[in-house]
């Protein structure tokens, strides 16, 4: 339920600022989920595997940028999307 409310809030923000880091990470996450489900059916689709790796790298760089610039927004985004595990020291 949290993800659904987050998706609707991001979708509403799309009209305001479609180029925000949060929106870009959100759209990369949707693409990653679609490609992952596609690759479960088509295991030998190597072009899609390459595309998935490229999108994962882009999302990783965007998240690294966001964590450097604004740690609070970064933590909020990863908790709402549920995309990274918290590190325990």
């Amino acid at each position: 339920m949290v993800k659904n409310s987050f998706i609707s809030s991001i979708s509403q923000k799309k009209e305001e600022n479609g180029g925000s880091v949060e929106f870009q990470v959100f759209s990369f996450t949707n693409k990653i989920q679609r490609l992952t489900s596609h690759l479960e059916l088509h295991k030998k689709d190597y072009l899609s595997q390459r595309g998935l790796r490229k999108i994962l790298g882009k999302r990783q760089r965007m998240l690294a940028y966001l964590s450097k610039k604004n740690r609070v927004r970064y933590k909020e985004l990863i908790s709402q999307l549920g995309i990274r595990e918290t590190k325990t020291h």
Side-chain angles (χ1 to χ4, degrees), residues 13-30:
K13 289 181 183 179
K14 180 181 178 184
E15 291 94 29
E16 299 170 14
N17 191 4
S20 70
V21 176
E22 288 93 347
F23 180 76
Q24 290 181 39
V25 170
F26 170 72
S27 64
F28 286 149
T29 303
N30 282 341

Side-chain angles (χ1 to χ4, degrees), residues 47-61:
L47 289 176
S48 292
Q49 288 177 10
R50 180 176 184 262
L52 177 63
R53 285 193 301 269
K54 287 180 78 166
I55 293 172
L56 283 169
K58 285 182 184 180
R59 185 178 75 174
Q60 185 177 15
R61 288 191 301 274

Side-chain angles (χ1 to χ4, degrees), residues 18-75:
S20 70
V21 176
E22 288 93 347
F23 180 76
Q24 290 181 39
V25 170
F26 170 72
S27 64
F28 286 149
T29 303
N30 282 341
K31 287 181 185 179
I32 288 167
Q33 290 172 347
R34 280 189 283 127
L35 278 172
T36 303
S37 65
H38 169 78
L39 288 171
E40 287 174 356
L41 295 174
H42 308 281
K43 293 180 182 5
K44 293 192 176 188
D45 188 353
Y46 298 116
L47 289 176
S48 292
Q49 288 177 10
R50 180 176 184 262
L52 177 63
R53 285 193 301 269
K54 287 180 78 166
I55 293 172
L56 283 169
K58 285 182 184 180
R59 185 178 75 174
Q60 185 177 15
R61 288 191 301 274
M62 292 292 264
L63 287 171
Y65 167 80
L66 187 61
S67 70
K68 284 185 221 170
K69 292 294 180 182
N70 192 337
R71 194 72 173 170
V72 175
R73 283 173 50 197
Y74 167 77
K75 287 184 183 261

